[in-house]
Amino acid sequence: MGKDLILEKIDQAVKILNEKEIDMWMTFVRETGNIKDPMIDMIVGTNATWQSAFIITKNGDTHAIIGSLELENMKMVGTYKNIHPYLKSIKEKFLDVINQYKPNKIAINYSRNSSLADGMTYGLYLELLDHFNGTDYASKLISSEEIVAALRGRKSQTEISLIKEAIKETLKIFDEVTKYLKPGITEKLVAHYVQDIVAKRGYQLAWDKDYCPSVFSGPNTAGAHAGPTDRVIEPGHVINMDFGIKYNGYCSDLQRTWYVLRPGETKAPDEVQKGFDVIKESITRSANEMKPGKKGWEIDEVARNYIQINGYDEFPHGLGHQVGRVCHDGGCLMGPKWERYNNLPYLEIEEGNVFTIEPRLTIENYGIATIEEMVVVTKDGIEWLSERQNDIYLIKP
Amino acid sequence: MGKDLILEKIDQAVKILNEKEIDMWMTFVRETGNIKDPMIDMIVGTNATWQSAFIITKNGDTHAIIGSLELENMKMVGTYKNIHPYLKSIKEKFLDVINQYKPNKIAINYSRNSSLADGMTYGLYLELLDHFNGTDYASKLISSEEIVAALRGRKSQTEISLIKEAIKETLKIFDEVTKYLKPGITEKLVAHYVQDIVAKRGYQLAWDKDYCPSVFSGPNTAGAHAGPTDRVIEPGHVINMDFGIKYNGYCSDLQRTWYVLRPGETKAPDEVQKGFDVIKESITRSANEMKPGKKGWEIDEVARNYIQINGYDEFPHGLGHQVGRVCHDGGCLMGPKWERYNNLPYLEIEEGNVFTIEPRLTIENYGIATIEEMVVVTKDGIEWLSERQNDIYLIKP
């Protein structure tokens, strides 16, 4: 992430601190080469080895308190106005900076709800409490989750352009896959074909290479978040693929569905067509309900109910997540009120949020139908970021 | 990391649990695609999206409790014998597994001292405590830091072979740099030359690309953990470079020192030669003191004192860290008793530990002399893993 984009996000963070009346946001980390707080790339732009604090205040000041060996590097990175190097212990300089502001609310990088706001490890949290001994700052700590959700969720025009680029490149690869698919090749071969293209074009995969892409062919396949297998594509299979890239720091995440024609067939069987149509329509209906102020679970429910009313099982995951620098980004999730999603389905959709919409259903004896589109939330609705899949792609035997 | 090496490390973990009389080791994580516990690659081998627990018990059982969508993937990865998928909340299956063992000591992934054992974020820790409501397991929790330090620190023969390979490839690149260096080129150009080789040969950098390699030429340079600059190499400069690669999952970390001859010179000036010799001798003396049972700070002190006795300032960092799958690996650190190092300098060196030895001193008006070698601790001493730099490398103008 370039310095300009980081400074843009820091400016945006200052506005959010004012909006939410939070005096100070502190990201406290160490050894980010071993375990990296998910916000570091967005608001710092380099690693920190020893205990380090990156502070943004409501009045727009920025302070980096870092190990002295990293002073020159931090200067070169150039994202923080005030740099305070220390040799033996962070405590003194750290308290000096905080004391300047007498903050009533200090947001720190922990959250029960959102992994993206939960970058401070528990051992490091205990160290922080020790530094605060003899002060009352421990009682002023709040979670940074609202800041992080807003900052990651409200995309700038620059960010939306970058995501559009990633989507465009991804859809090109889907088109190439459509030409490549044929009976007799394995799911793994398809995945290797895709990963080769990604490597050649210098993109990164949007998630774990074990299941990016996921490729499922035919009935009784493994399901989401599983890797491709040695299963061979056959006539009569519904195939789907879940795939995304990271390009210039921003991700895409899309799914498409194919049907492999059997001898004599010129179109998909009725039950396959129906499954596809139900998925497509559930996406349209959910998207029609999306606008700022709606809660995540309200949108999830639209697709979930429509699919069940049409006689299919509900999908075992959320309808859509936000996308950005990471594939599962932002705060609000369009998901059901299941404990595993914490409070994320209860949060509100905001303008500038980029979401996937990705329902799923099983067509018995054929396979899994999924379409995953991407949208950005506008003032009063959504704009499609991906060109929609309107028809099931047919593979000739 | 291949499945075989993960199973080897899990076996080793079981032995360590027995040695340390700990009933159960649980690594509790979520969204490792966003923030990855540093142990996941070593003892699991794939990402986990929803709250997930990876449990290893003293009697050798292994349990993965994971979101249901990741069941097939976990089966394919094949590193855990028992897999328990859940749909809505982890709590029930999670407690079922723990209840089977009635553990008195449960080591979890947090540590004040070691970032490698501190993979559980604070928000996730609060979630864990909630799951334990109504049980007395919260009172049985201990830090996994001793397990992690032993497991990462005690390298198997396979691991040492992999590290040796990484060192061999790295030293080849240093030789190529010796031929490439000349007056008139910038530090940045040298760094790009090195990074190009790394990319072409398919290696990864051992740490952040901003300062891997670090290249410092001449007096008043930036110091460790800073990136290369536009400073131009000139006759009379002492140059040093800090560089390592990751190759087949294991790291190298080495430093070498050069001197750029001035017109008429055929060897380095006496003060440069002296600085180099003091560094070299401080490495020899520290290495001679290393053996199992010594504490980290005792070894650091040998080099630190020797350098100061010879009239130089002490170096502003530890003498040597462990190396493995990450560049700063293991527990025990050969460093001074500074607060920023927590308890790591107080830990004992063990057989199978791989350490760097990397003192540093400034030669006034010339630059910085550093040599960084790598050693493995044996039953009663050390074995050199890197071929030592015995003479300062001379660059002809």
Side-chain angles (χ1 to χ4, degrees):
Chain A
M1 191 153 168
K3 180 182 165 184
D4 290 348
L5 194 44
I6 292 174
L7 293 175
E8 185 181 311
K9 293 309 275 185
I10 289 176
D11 279 349
Q12 193 184 350
V14 172
K15 290 194 189 83
I16 292 167
L17 290 177
N18 282 281
E19 172 192 321
K20 300 192 181 290
E21 299 184 337
I22 297 168
D23 304 300
M24 174 178 279
W25 174 25
M26 177 167 73
T27 303
F28 190 55
V29 298
R30 68 175 167 193
E31 290 279 7
T32 58
N34 290 343
I35 179 165
K36 186 186 268 191
D37 182 293
M39 295 307 296
I40 289 294
D41 287 341
M42 182 174 280
I43 60 164
V44 178
T46 188
N47 274 327
T49 303
W50 301 278
Q51 287 187 20
S52 302
F54 299 97
I55 292 175
I56 300 173
T57 70
K58 203 166 67 171
N59 69 347
D61 292 344
T62 55
H63 295 271
I65 306 143
I66 55 171
S68 55
L69 286 177
E70 291 175 333
L71 171 61
E72 292 304 322
N73 181 57
M74 196 71 223
K75 279 189 199 164
M76 278 186 249
V77 172
T79 47
Y80 278 68
K81 290 178 222 159
N82 306 285
I83 308 177
H84 313 268
Y86 74 87
L87 181 61
K88 296 191 178 179
S89 164
I90 194 175
K91 182 170 176 173
E92 196 183 338
K93 295 207 167 161
F94 175 68
L95 289 179
D96 280 354
V97 171
I98 301 175
N99 288 338
Q100 283 175 44
Y101 295 92
K102 308 195 189 337
N104 273 313
K105 276 191 195 171
I106 309 172
I108 58 168
N109 46 330
Y110 93 93
S111 166
R112 295 181 63 153
N113 296 300
S114 162
S115 69
L116 291 165
D118 196 28
M120 193 190 305
T121 52
Y122 177 51
L124 192 57
Y125 173 76
L126 296 176
E127 292 283 300
L128 178 70
L129 290 189
D130 250 22
H131 298 322
F132 281 159
N133 251 343
T135 76
D136 63 349
Y137 293 136
S139 67
K140 319 262 187 199
L141 300 177
I142 62 169
S143 165
S144 62
E145 65 189 30
E146 281 192 48
I147 303 167
V148 168
L151 187 63
R152 297 195 77 110
R154 297 175 194 169
K155 261 73 173 182
S156 69
Q157 283 310 317
T158 315
E159 291 183 290
I160 291 172
S161 304
L162 290 168
I163 292 172
K164 275 185 180 165
E165 279 298 306
I167 291 172
K168 201 175 108 193
E169 296 305 313
T170 308
L171 287 176
K172 270 188 212 162
I173 296 174
F174 272 101
D175 285 345
E176 290 166 70
V177 168
T178 300
K179 288 178 192 139
Y180 178 78
L181 286 175
K182 61 180 177 194
I185 62 176
T186 64
E187 292 173 357
K188 273 189 186 160
L189 201 64
V190 178
H192 290 155
Y193 172 76
V194 169
Q195 291 184 344
D196 278 352
I197 295 177
V198 169
K200 269 186 206 135
R201 297 186 189 161
Y203 312 144
Q204 291 173 275
L205 297 172
W207 59 90
D208 210 281
K209 73 175 191 324
D210 291 346
Y211 45 95
C212 186
S214 287
V215 181
F216 302 112
S217 186
N220 308 317
T221 52
H225 287 239
T229 69
D230 290 323
R231 179 189 285 249
V232 174
I233 293 173
E234 291 175 25
H237 277 189
V238 168
I239 305 175
N240 76 317
M241 184 170 102
D242 188 354
F243 169 58
I245 64 169
K246 192 170 196 173
Y247 181 51
N248 291 322
Y250 282 79
C251 293
S252 62
D253 183 2
L254 297 160
Q255 296 178 51
R256 293 291 179 258
T257 294
W258 295 263
Y259 174 70
V260 189
L261 294 167
R262 287 175 290 207
E265 283 181 336
T266 54
K267 58 185 184 67
D270 290 347
E271 53 268 60
V272 170
Q273 189 62 47
K274 182 191 164 196
F276 181 85
D277 290 342
V278 167
I279 284 293
K280 196 177 89 177
E281 178 66 15
S282 74
I283 291 176
T284 305
R285 290 180 180 221
S286 325
N288 286 343
E289 293 300 315
M290 287 178 73
K291 62 178 179 188
K294 285 273 188 171
K295 295 202 161 58
W297 66 264
E298 295 181 278
I299 310 302
D300 175 89
E301 205 172 62
V302 175
R304 193 171 297 277
N305 287 349
Y306 183 76
I307 285 171
Q308 288 178 289
I309 286 164
N310 277 279
Y312 300 94
D313 286 344
E314 65 178 324
F315 42 91
H317 53 70
L319 176 66
H321 54 84
Q322 292 185 60
V323 181
R325 292 187 62 77
V326 294
C327 179
H328 289 181
D329 206 309
C332 171
L333 175 84
M334 302 198 299
K337 301 169 178 177
W338 295 345
E339 188 178 328
R340 83 170 192 222
Y341 294 127
N342 297 95
N343 81 334
L344 302 181
Y346 298 89
L347 300 182
E348 286 182 3
I349 292 172
E350 294 191 325
E351 189 178 346
N353 289 175
V354 170
F355 273 101
T356 66
I357 309 181
E358 47 173 316
R360 158 186 314 254
L361 62 79
T362 298
I363 305 169
E364 216 162 332
N365 301 319
Y366 286 96
I368 293 168
T370 66
I371 306 172
E372 180 173 8
E373 306 289 359
M374 287 177 65
V375 300
V376 58
V377 179
T378 59
K379 211 178 161 126
D380 52 7
I382 60 109
E383 182 194 311
W384 297 95
L385 294 177
S386 52
E387 197 183 329
R388 291 192 63 179
Q389 180 177 14
N390 288 311
D391 301 296
I392 191 165
Y393 302 141
L394 298 174
I395 305 299
K396 296 193 180 103
Chain B
M1 193 155 170
K3 179 181 164 186
D4 289 349
L5 195 44
I6 292 174
L7 292 176
E8 185 181 311
K9 294 308 276 185
I10 289 177
D11 278 350
Q12 193 184 351
V14 172
K15 289 194 190 84
I16 293 167
L17 289 176
N18 281 281
E19 172 192 322
K20 299 192 183 290
E21 300 183 338
I22 297 169
D23 303 300
M24 175 178 279
W25 174 25
M26 177 168 73
T27 303
F28 190 54
V29 298
R30 69 175 167 191
E31 289 279 7
T32 58
N34 289 343
I35 179 165
K36 187 187 266 191
D37 182 293
M39 295 308 294
I40 290 293
D41 287 342
M42 182 174 279
I43 60 164
V44 178
T46 189
N47 274 327
T49 302
W50 301 278
Q51 288 187 19
S52 302
F54 299 97
I55 293 175
I56 300 172
T57 70
K58 204 166 67 171
N59 70 346
D61 292 344
T62 56
H63 295 272
I65 305 145
I66 56 171
S68 54
L69 287 177
E70 291 174 333
L71 171 61
E72 292 305 320
N73 181 57
M74 197 71 223
K75 280 190 199 163
M76 278 187 247
V77 172
T79 48
Y80 278 67
K81 289 177 225 161
N82 305 285
I83 308 177
H84 313 269
Y86 72 87
L87 180 61
K88 298 193 176 178
S89 164
I90 193 175
K91 184 171 175 172
E92 195 183 339
K93 295 209 167 157
F94 174 68
L95 289 179
D96 280 353
V97 170
I98 300 175
N99 288 338
Q100 283 176 44
Y101 295 91
K102 308 195 188 337
N104 273 313
K105 276 190 195 171
I106 308 172
I108 58 168
N109 46 329
Y110 93 94
S111 167
R112 295 182 63 154
N113 297 299
S114 162
S115 69
L116 291 166
D118 196 29
M120 194 190 307
T121 53
Y122 177 51
L124 192 57
Y125 173 75
L126 296 176
E127 291 283 300
L128 178 69
L129 289 189
D130 251 21
H131 298 322
F132 281 160
N133 251 342
T135 75
D136 63 348
Y137 294 137
S139 67
K140 319 264 187 198
L141 300 177
I142 62 169
S143 164
S144 62
E145 65 190 27
E146 282 192 49
I147 302 168
V148 168
L151 187 63
R152 297 195 77 109
R154 298 175 193 169
K155 262 73 173 180
S156 68
Q157 282 310 316
T158 315
E159 292 184 289
I160 291 171
S161 304
L162 290 168
I163 292 171
K164 276 186 180 164
E165 279 298 305
I167 292 173
K168 201 175 109 193
E169 297 305 313
T170 308
L171 287 177
K172 270 188 211 161
I173 296 175
F174 271 101
D175 285 344
E176 290 166 68
V177 168
T178 301
K179 288 178 192 139
Y180 178 77
L181 286 175
K182 60 181 178 194
I185 63 176
T186 65
E187 292 173 356
K188 272 189 187 160
L189 201 64
V190 178
H192 290 155
Y193 173 76
V194 169
Q195 291 184 345
D196 278 352
I197 295 177
V198 168
K200 269 185 205 136
R201 296 186 190 161
Y203 311 145
Q204 291 174 275
L205 297 171
W207 59 90
D208 209 281
K209 74 174 191 323
D210 290 345
Y211 44 96
C212 185
S214 288
V215 182
F216 302 112
S217 186
N220 308 316
T221 52
H225 287 239
T229 69
D230 290 322
R231 180 189 285 249
V232 173
I233 294 172
E234 291 173 26
H237 277 190
V238 168
I239 306 174
N240 77 316
M241 185 171 101
D242 188 355
F243 170 59
I245 63 169
K246 192 170 197 173
Y247 181 51
N248 290 323
Y250 282 79
C251 294
S252 62
D253 182 2
L254 297 160
Q255 296 179 51
R256 293 291 179 257
T257 294
W258 295 263
Y259 174 71
V260 188
L261 293 167
R262 286 176 292 209
E265 284 181 336
T266 55
K267 59 185 184 65
D270 289 348
E271 53 269 59
V272 171
Q273 189 61 49
K274 184 193 163 195
F276 181 86
D277 289 342
V278 167
I279 285 291
K280 196 176 90 177
E281 178 64 16
S282 75
I283 291 175
T284 304
R285 289 180 181 223
S286 325
N288 286 343
E289 293 300 314
M290 288 177 73
K291 63 178 180 188
K294 286 272 188 173
K295 296 202 160 58
W297 66 264
E298 295 181 278
I299 309 301
D300 175 89
E301 204 172 63
V302 174
R304 193 171 298 276
N305 287 349
Y306 182 77
I307 285 170
Q308 289 178 288
I309 286 164
N310 277 280
Y312 300 95
D313 286 344
E314 65 177 323
F315 41 90
H317 53 70
L319 175 66
H321 54 83
Q322 293 186 59
V323 181
R325 292 188 62 78
V326 294
C327 180
H328 288 181
D329 207 309
C332 172
L333 175 84
M334 301 199 299
K337 300 169 178 175
W338 295 346
E339 188 178 327
R340 84 171 190 220
Y341 295 127
N342 297 93
N343 82 333
L344 303 182
Y346 299 88
L347 300 181
E348 287 183 3
I349 293 172
E350 294 190 324
E351 188 178 348
N353 289 174
V354 170
F355 273 101
T356 66
I357 309 181
E358 47 174 315
R360 158 186 313 253
L361 60 80
T362 299
I363 305 168
E364 216 164 329
N365 303 318
Y366 287 96
I368 293 166
T370 65
I371 307 173
E372 179 172 8
E373 306 289 0
M374 288 177 65
V375 300
V376 58
V377 179
T378 58
K379 210 176 161 128
D380 52 6
I382 60 107
E383 180 194 312
W384 297 96
L385 293 177
S386 53
E387 196 183 330
R388 291 193 63 180
Q389 181 177 17
N390 288 311
D391 301 297
I392 192 165
Y393 301 142
L394 298 174
I395 305 299
K396 298 198 177 97

